[in-house]
Amino acid sequence: MSTQEPNQFQTVDEAKAAIARQLQPVSEHRCVAIRDALNQVLAEPILSPIDVPSHDNSAMDGYAFSGSSIEPAGLTKLQVVGTALAGNKFTGSVGTGQCVRIMTGAVMPNGCDTVVVQENVSSPENGFIQFAPGAVSAGDNRRLKGEDLTQGKPALPAGKVIRPADLGLLASLGVPEVKVKRTLRVAFFSTGDELRSLGQPLDEGCVYDSNRYTLYGMLRRLEFVEPIDMGVVHDSPEALEKAMCEAASQADVILTSGGVSVGEADFTKTVMQKLGAVNFWKIAMRPGRPMAFGQITNPADGRSAVLFGLPGNPVAVMVTFYAFVRDALHHLAGAQPRPLPTVTARLAQGVRKKAGRTEYQRVWLERDAQGWVAHLTGAQGSGVLRSMSEADGLLVLHHEQGSLNAGDLGEVWPFEGLI
Ligand code: AMP
Ligand code: MG
């Protein structure tokens, strides 16, 4: 791990790159029924065991026939010789000038390559239909065997986080079970003598511990993670060392909040560095400037975990989670990196910003005729959790960007996506 001079700032991108260099994805996997694979990380690529669809079939309700029967200039008249239903094939033969009534999904009868949709033909009279030139071209409305997937070809790549469409795709291939990566164990605790847990009286000068709740919420949304709540740890070297060792034994990743800012960092640093290699960073970002990152080992059993020492301020803990931890957890879980979805929004008001650091402002979004509009959610202090709760997303003001005016475009990370 690169060591860093004290007081040296690094950019968000440099910190991300330094983190990515340290991470080894989990290798163990488990076999699950496909429903249990939802939101889990696929451990091996899935090759299609069959052609999908398995036969040429009709894409529409209509009449199937050979395209060579089409009269290019005048009316085409065809004799109806049978019916093909989905799941109930027409087994007879269809000659020139003949057709078969066919329903969507039914296997194309032998000799047929074209379907004219029922809306484009006259209603059958004396067993014949007719249609005008241009109603259909040869080959129309036919789905080809293997058009969706060919047998033996990759259907899903390893590392994919399984979504609803993937469950359907697996079912369409007849695959009942898949191998997914084992869940990633993430232990988290809060540090600070001023913190009280729910149910305790709020003594003077104390605050309720909210970070364990936001962290729990964000972790739960990554369903390949098993969150392990380790409570509040008091500001003493012994308590911190004990908690760190317990967490390293149980978990792949440890998230702490609080205790990494200047002044507080001293004993945190001594403990973390005693147990492993941990860097204390000052990141050119707001909120979220102080952050520790590294790896620690419990000397009693030799078990190690990746450590993120997040700042204590309630907004900063969320912002650093989204900026660094989310991607790192994907990587550790063996998931393919996916960029965060972003929306471009016009700013409803100007935002002051200094070039040379990345800023994350909380915004609510509105849609007008021109697109998305982003409004700041009031006071943006890094302790103001309400600014986060009222927000629909984070407006990301990039490192090199300066102040923006009302009407300028900005990039927003929305909290919600399509499920
Ligand atoms: P620290 O980084 O420990 O200096 O904490 C910075 C600020 O965040 C202080 O005002 C703390 O009281 C507050 N804080 C730290 N941890 C938590 C927490 N778990 N829940 C709520 N506020 C916290
Ligand atoms: Mg503290």
Side-chain angles (χ1 to χ4, degrees):
M1 179 173 298
S2 64
T3 44
Q4 205 196 339
E5 295 298 315
N7 300 325
Q8 188 186 325
F9 275 85
Q10 56 183 333
T11 66
V12 167
D13 286 344
E14 285 163 354
K16 270 191 193 162
I19 292 168
R21 282 196 294 274
Q22 292 293 307
L23 305 176
Q24 282 301 327
V26 296
S27 52
E28 303 91 331
H29 60 251
R30 58 204 172 100
C31 201
V32 293
I34 57 171
R35 281 187 180 160
D36 296 323
L38 184 63
N39 297 322
Q40 303 295 314
V41 181
L42 193 61
E44 286 180 354
I46 301 289
L47 303 182
S48 181
I50 55 170
D51 285 324
V52 181
S54 54
H55 294 93
D56 290 3
N57 68 83
S58 177
M60 302 293 277
D61 291 346
Y63 294 86
F65 59 98
S66 164
S68 61
S69 297
I70 298 175
E71 293 290 343
L75 283 178
T76 301
K77 192 171 178 189
L78 302 173
Q79 184 192 11
V80 184
V81 296
T83 302
L85 301 174
N88 200 349
K89 186 175 170 180
F90 175 79
T91 48
S93 62
V94 185
T96 307
Q98 295 184 324
C99 70
V100 166
R101 171 103 177 102
I102 195 162
M103 296 300 165
T104 306
V107 174
M108 290 291 279
N110 285 339
C112 298
D113 60 7
T114 305
V115 174
V116 59
V117 299
Q118 61 191 19
E119 293 79 2
N120 289 356
V121 305
S122 63
S123 32
E125 237 175 78
N126 303 324
F128 283 85
I129 53 151
Q130 55 185 31
F131 53 83
V136 65
S137 305
D140 278 0
N141 304 315
R142 172 185 52 159
R143 298 186 192 129
L144 294 173
K145 172 181 170 164
E147 171 182 289
D148 202 348
L149 274 169
T150 319
Q151 185 179 2
K153 289 275 154 48
L156 292 174
K160 178 138 206 229
V161 179
I162 299 290
R163 297 188 300 196
D166 303 320
L167 292 187
L169 182 67
L170 289 165
S172 76
L173 301 179
V175 174
E177 297 184 326
V178 289
K179 286 178 183 162
V180 295
K181 294 280 193 177
R182 74 157 169 83
T183 47
L184 196 66
R185 292 185 290 270
V186 181
F188 58 103
F189 58 83
S190 299
T191 67
D193 286 338
E194 78 283 22
L195 301 179
R196 292 292 174 270
S197 293
L198 298 185
Q200 294 182 332
L202 197 59
D203 302 322
E204 197 184 341
C206 291
V207 292
Y208 282 119
D209 172 12
S210 57
N211 289 346
R212 274 191 301 129
Y213 291 82
T214 45
L215 282 172
Y216 171 81
M218 293 186 292
L219 289 169
R220 275 296 304 276
R221 288 192 153 193
L222 299 175
E223 291 185 33
F224 51 78
V225 160
E226 179 195 340
I228 306 171
D229 184 345
M230 296 188 56
V232 174
V233 173
H234 285 286
D235 281 332
S236 82
E238 298 72 27
L240 189 62
E241 181 169 345
K242 184 166 170 283
M244 287 287 175
C245 287
E246 267 177 46
S249 293
Q250 289 182 46
D252 303 296
V253 182
I254 306 169
L255 304 180
T256 66
S257 73
V260 291
S261 47
V262 181
E264 288 205 276
D266 291 347
F267 83 81
T268 317
K269 207 174 204 164
T270 314
V271 171
M272 290 182 180
Q273 288 178 341
K274 177 178 167 192
L275 297 174
V278 179
N279 278 312
F280 282 74
W281 287 335
K282 280 186 189 166
I283 302 174
M285 67 190 288
R286 198 165 88 165
R289 192 170 73 134
M291 194 175 91
F293 173 75
Q295 182 143 25
I296 61 160
T297 305
N298 180 352
D301 61 11
R303 302 188 68 148
S304 300
V306 171
L307 170 78
F308 287 88
L310 305 180
N313 270 310
V315 177
V317 84
M318 295 193 77
V319 166
T320 47
F321 184 94
Y322 288 128
F324 303 108
V325 181
R326 179 194 173 276
D327 278 3
L329 295 181
H330 276 83
H331 193 108
L332 286 164
Q336 287 170 340
R338 299 266 311 152
L340 280 174
T342 59
V343 299
T344 302
R346 275 174 9 258
L347 304 188
Q349 65 251 78
V351 181
R352 285 165 59 86
K353 153 84 167 56
K354 271 204 278 195
R357 70 182 180 206
T358 308
E359 287 191 18
Y360 303 84
Q361 306 258 344
R362 280 70 76 200
V363 293
W364 59 274
L365 292 172
E366 176 186 43
R367 228 186 135 92
D368 71 8
Q370 280 81 49
W372 291 107
V373 184
H375 302 257
L376 297 184
T377 58
Q380 297 282 303
S382 64
V384 185
L385 203 46
R386 189 160 65 97
S387 69
M388 219 40 199
S389 168
E390 288 175 357
D392 296 315
L394 293 173
L395 169 69
V396 184
L397 301 164
H398 293 284
H399 188 82
E400 64 291 347
Q401 239 170 345
S403 293
L404 294 178
N405 297 316
D408 285 351
L409 295 179
E411 179 182 313
V412 177
W413 294 347
F415 294 139
E416 306 295 335
L418 201 62
I419 56 163

